[in-house]
Amino acid sequence: MDKNYFENIILCIKEQFTQQNFIPLHAPVFIGNEKAYVMDTLESTFVSSVGAYVDRFEKMMCDITGAKYAVAIVNGTNALHMAALLAGVKPGDEVISQSLTFIATCNAISYIGAQPVFVDIDRSTLGMSPESLADFLTKNAIIGEDGYSYNKLSGKRIKACVPMHTFGFPCRIDEIAVICDKWNITLIEDAAESIGSYYKRKHTGIYGNIGVFSFNGNKTITCGGGGALITNDQLIAKRAKHLTTQAKVAHPWAFIHDEVGYNYRMPNINAALACAQLEQLDNFVKNKRELAAIYKDKFKKIGANFFSEPADAKSNYWLNVLIMDNLRQRNEFLEFANANNVMSRPAWELMHRLPMFKNAVCADLNNSEWLSDRLVNIPSSVRL
Ligand SMILES: *Cc1c(COP(=O)(O)O)cnc(C)c1O
């Protein structure tokens, strides 16, 4: 075991988090208007799905991302489900995604009865590779008479593509958008991890037809549980509001619903927390980027392979990444770090290795497997 090497890494991490005995991967911080805004919802009694903070949160999301419309949703997983429904994904369709992602991406596709298809990722971005996507489509897809792409082998329609900005690092989303456009595939950006991350000066989530965010407790900013969907398409935005509020027809007193809807609206009490957290987004990202800069410098000195943001990208550095030499070293490091009160974890098990997706259509997934064997996340919280 590379004990010296591991000890040096742990020392670098501990130097950044001196107040704690146990250093978590990512802890939330509430140092702004959180208490005041939450108390305000209690005093007003508007804690549920109607209230001023929901509107304010949606407006803030538009200002931050540059999107024309934002819709608050109860969590990121349901926001992804809603995005897939709005993209017109139907049972039996295929949806292209990446194998290195959090399970929620694929669960959302599965809720509709559609199947995920996996293309490879880039080693330089950790996100979907435009080359792998284009290559997969050129080899396997054909545009049908209805104008949609079909998988020649399975006969299934390929309706949507869901790349993910892994750990906050933007993928090459502009190139992916061009490919999706060419094949008439709706682009949904899983930007759950990338609030405050930019690619070529535009916020992540805005390149796709729909972008999705999560505000779960472990994300860069949190409102307990929460999500949002952004779009520039007015029809999609209107339909998102309608479907997430049980498809209720607006009326002063009658309860009439015109289709099967969902109870997916974010409660006002969560939106209050979200507003207070979003106010601090710039400071949080600045703080996290400073930590990443320190890590980069220190790890370079001890010969550790720290993952830096790709060209043209400004990452929120949600979770910092070290790349180990091989699977054995990765596992030994995980044992060592966690035994030394420094929380560290591997990437999620690749989706195509899980029982639900083991028969999924896959491109060559060399980079996904290479990274999955080597990648570890290390503590990345905002430091006070
Ligand atoms: C966190 C996350 C989600 C889901 O968000 P929840 O708010 O926890 O439901 C979706 N996709 C990715 C990639 C995530 O990291």
Side-chain angles (χ1 to χ4, degrees):
M1 195 177 79
D2 311 293
K3 190 148 176 287
N4 265 346
Y5 177 54
F6 293 167
E7 271 169 355
N8 286 337
I9 294 174
I10 296 303
L11 198 66
C12 289
I13 296 169
K14 285 192 169 165
E15 277 170 6
Q16 307 319 313
F17 297 93
T18 46
Q19 294 104 323
Q20 289 142 292
N21 281 328
F22 171 80
I23 307 173
L25 206 59
H26 204 282
V29 292
F30 302 116
I31 49 174
N33 289 319
E34 288 88 353
K35 264 187 196 157
Y37 291 178
V38 170
M39 281 309 288
D40 189 32
T41 67
L42 297 181
E43 274 154 22
S44 74
T45 75
F46 281 92
V47 292
S48 201
S49 50
V50 177
Y53 285 106
V54 175
D55 299 334
R56 186 158 149 193
F57 167 69
E58 290 174 344
K59 170 84 175 41
M60 288 180 89
M61 283 301 292
C62 289
D63 291 344
I64 289 165
T65 60
K68 282 199 188 130
Y69 310 96
V71 177
I73 293 179
V74 76
N75 60 50
T77 309
N78 290 345
L80 277 168
H81 179 208
M82 191 46 55
L85 285 167
L86 294 165
V89 175
K90 295 277 189 286
D93 282 345
E94 287 179 354
V95 174
I96 302 179
S97 191
Q98 55 196 63
S99 189
L100 191 110
T101 186
F102 179 54
I103 188 70
T105 318
C106 296
N107 278 344
I109 296 164
S110 304
Y111 296 160
I112 300 181
Q115 274 96 44
V117 166
F118 301 114
V119 299
D120 209 4
I121 54 177
D122 283 329
R123 284 197 203 178
S124 58
T125 68
L126 312 179
M128 185 179 283
S129 152
E131 284 84 12
S132 178
L133 174 65
D135 185 58
F136 177 83
L137 289 167
T138 307
K139 281 187 186 141
N140 299 289
I142 185 167
I143 297 198
E145 275 170 23
D146 57 3
Y148 290 117
S149 281
Y150 285 82
N151 184 326
K152 283 189 277 190
L153 217 66
S154 65
K156 289 179 172 163
R157 185 172 70 145
I158 304 170
K159 185 63 188 79
C161 176
V162 193
M164 200 272 283
H165 301 293
T166 311
F167 307 131
F169 299 104
C171 66
R172 290 155 61 198
I173 191 66
D174 56 340
E175 293 168 76
I176 292 169
V178 170
I179 298 163
C180 287
D181 204 42
K182 176 181 160 196
W183 290 90
N184 193 19
I185 292 171
T186 308
L187 179 57
I188 300 168
E189 272 178 88
D190 186 343
E193 303 177 356
S194 65
I195 186 80
S197 294
Y198 294 78
Y199 189 67
K200 296 188 177 167
R201 291 170 179 275
K202 277 161 70 176
H203 200 286
T204 50
I206 201 67
Y207 286 86
N209 302 82
I210 306 171
V212 169
F213 295 89
S214 163
F215 306 102
N216 191 32
N218 60 348
K219 298 293 193 327
T220 296
I221 74 150
T222 184
C223 60
L229 171 161
I230 60 167
T231 183
N232 283 332
D233 185 322
Q234 189 185 24
L235 280 177
I236 289 179
K238 275 199 171 146
R239 220 172 125 60
K241 278 215 168 153
H242 188 59
L243 278 180
T244 52
T245 47
Q246 305 275 33
K248 184 180 180 297
V249 181
H251 191 281
W253 41 263
F255 272 88
I256 296 164
H257 307 263
D258 59 3
E259 61 184 307
V260 174
Y262 301 82
N263 180 13
Y264 277 3
R265 285 287 273 169
M266 179 189 282
N268 198 44
I269 191 167
N270 296 86
L273 201 44
C275 289
Q277 287 263 292
L278 277 182
E279 287 172 357
Q280 302 165 84
L281 178 65
D282 288 348
N283 282 337
F284 285 3
V285 171
K286 186 165 168 276
N287 189 303
K288 289 166 73 61
R289 289 179 60 82
E290 277 163 13
L291 173 65
I294 295 168
Y295 273 160
K296 185 178 180 173
D297 181 52
K298 301 225 167 199
F299 288 139
K300 196 175 173 189
K301 287 183 182 136
I302 61 168
N305 189 0
F306 180 72
F307 185 84
S308 293
E309 65 193 353
D312 300 322
K314 185 180 172 213
S315 174
N316 65 6
Y317 280 91
W318 171 48
L319 289 186
N320 289 291
V321 171
L322 281 174
I323 310 283
M324 295 288 155
D325 289 349
N326 50 48
L327 182 61
R328 181 190 54 79
Q329 194 189 45
R330 184 203 79 168
N331 290 340
E332 285 174 359
F333 176 76
L334 290 171
E335 285 288 341
F336 188 89
N338 286 294
N340 281 281
N341 288 329
V342 171
M343 190 172 167
S344 180
R345 61 162 213 211
W348 314 275
E349 179 66 280
L350 294 172
M351 293 298 115
H352 71 284
R353 291 178 180 159
L354 299 177
M356 308 80 87
F357 307 119
K358 67 175 195 291
N359 297 322
V361 176
C362 292
D364 184 339
L365 299 178
N366 266 335
N367 290 339
S368 307
E369 285 170 355
W370 191 93
L371 281 164
S372 161
D373 282 351
R374 289 163 179 79
L375 181 162
V376 296
N377 290 124
I378 55 172
S380 306
S381 307
V382 169
R383 291 154 309 140
L384 297 178

